[in-house]
Amino acid sequence: MIGFASPVASQPSVALVGHGMKEAAESIGWHATVLDANLDPNAQVSNIQSLIQQDAGAIASWTLDAGATAGIYAQADQANVPIIGVNSEGSGVKYAVWNEIQQCSPGGPAEQTADLIASKFPDGNVVTIGLDVVPSWASVADCFEKAAKQAGLTILAHQSNNSDDAAGAQKLTADMLTKYPDVNAIWAYNDASALGASAAVIAAGKTVSDGESDGIIITGENGDSDAIQAVRDGRLTGTWDLNMVEFGWLIVKTAEDALKEGTAPAKTVLRSTLWTANNIDDYVPPKDRDVSFEELDIVE
């Protein structure tokens, strides 16, 4: 059995990780179990403890608080249960799998998004919406802001959407639009926040750009179904699809290799895909995709 210590299973893209893990596990005769921490680091520690007690062969964990999990990761190591870090690294994580969006690599998603904005609005003004309480997402926001500045853009403001929903982002964006009416682009760490920002922009009587048309560029991340529809409808400029079903398969593949005398790579990165008006007609829903271990699109 392989377990997944999910940070927040209600988030659609994270739920797809569990779906992919279950598909992949079944394909090799394993069983996958998902336990939800609901953004509570203490609950995540308890969930990992439960998975150890259930004799999990490996545990995938998207770390909420590295300090809180260090002890339980050590316990897993003592029990010979490898921890697969999901967009996470640190003490006790021997093998890590990453979405490309989580890597601040040259030419990666952060730079591509910044270039998309700069191509329409050279010297443009940008506001960002993150989730600063989750270290991995805070680092993604920092990466984008660095890329934006390198592309000649100005970051007017950053807000943390601690409610982690569209309503919270809508309120934050409405406030920022009042303070910064000349904003050209809004970068959001996930699709719920991007959709909330879009609702605020439309409510303010402004339009959303498709990347080439007039209006405010708004980008999200996760490739949620609502965001895909919003791209089709012209309510969102783009969304980065983390290919989370495939990511679930990658986690299981890494665990399988790790259990074969530690043959798994220490770090593996899965490519992310940007969906915009230019390629949205090619989109296939995650659960309808044909996925296999052999066809995973690995960056490194």
Side-chain angles (χ1 to χ4, degrees):
M1 184 261 284
I2 179 171
F4 178 33
S6 172
V8 52
S10 61
Q11 212 289 330
S13 68
V14 180
L16 288 172
V17 176
H19 177 83
M21 287 182 65
K22 290 175 181 178
E23 281 189 340
E26 183 178 351
S27 75
I28 57 173
W30 287 12
H31 171 71
T33 296
V34 178
L35 299 182
D36 182 15
N38 197 26
L39 295 178
D40 182 347
N42 292 325
Q44 186 171 59
V45 171
S46 296
N47 288 342
I48 295 170
Q49 180 69 61
S50 295
L51 290 168
I52 294 172
Q53 293 172 346
Q54 293 173 38
D55 294 325
I59 297 173
S61 178
W62 194 327
T63 306
L64 288 170
D65 184 333
T69 55
I72 195 65
Y73 287 174
Q75 288 185 37
D77 183 60
Q78 292 172 1
N80 294 317
V81 179
I83 294 292
I84 312 299
V86 180
N87 292 320
S88 309
E89 58 189 359
S91 177
V93 176
K94 291 185 177 180
Y95 313 98
V97 295
W98 295 85
N99 298 116
E100 187 186 17
I101 200 77
Q102 295 279 348
Q103 295 290 287
C104 200
S105 302
E111 289 190 5
Q112 292 179 50
T113 304
D115 289 345
L116 171 68
I117 297 168
S119 66
K120 174 62 179 175
F121 299 110
D123 304 317
N125 297 319
V126 185
V127 297
T128 61
I129 302 172
L131 183 63
D132 298 351
V133 296
V134 178
S136 60
W137 284 118
S139 67
V140 171
D142 289 343
C143 180
F144 170 74
E145 291 188 4
K146 290 176 184 176
K149 292 173 183 176
Q150 290 174 358
L153 303 171
T154 298
I155 303 297
L156 297 176
H158 171 79
Q159 293 288 338
S160 180
N161 181 19
N162 293 337
S163 64
D164 195 35
D165 58 18
Q170 184 171 354
K171 183 179 185 304
L172 291 173
T173 303
D175 292 342
M176 287 192 288
L177 288 174
T178 299
K179 189 173 183 179
Y180 305 106
D182 59 344
V183 66
N184 301 121
I186 300 170
W187 176 93
Y189 76 97
N190 71 358
D191 286 335
S193 294
L195 291 170
S198 175
V201 165
I202 294 169
K206 301 177 183 292
T207 59
V208 177
S209 172
D210 64 6
E212 299 178 0
S213 63
D214 292 337
I216 296 175
I217 290 177
I218 305 175
T219 62
E221 298 178 354
N222 288 342
D224 293 345
S225 59
D226 289 348
I228 294 296
Q229 188 59 49
V231 172
R232 290 192 173 110
D233 295 341
R235 294 180 287 112
L236 200 61
T237 309
T239 176
W240 278 97
D241 186 346
L242 280 61
N243 297 317
M244 288 302 222
V245 169
E246 293 91 329
F247 197 51
W249 278 74
L250 175 59
I251 290 169
V252 173
K253 177 60 176 173
T254 301
E256 183 185 34
D257 290 345
L259 293 172
K260 292 179 179 178
E261 300 182 0
T263 58
K267 175 182 177 181
T268 312
V269 181
L270 183 73
R271 192 177 307 280
S272 300
T273 305
L274 177 62
W275 298 107
T276 67
N278 290 331
N279 65 350
I280 197 64
D281 288 344
D282 297 329
Y283 177 79
V284 176
K287 292 182 180 180
D288 293 340
R289 300 173 188 174
D290 292 327
V291 185
S292 68
F293 293 130
E294 294 74 22
E295 296 181 359
L296 294 173
D297 192 357
I298 304 301
V299 178
E300 60 177 284

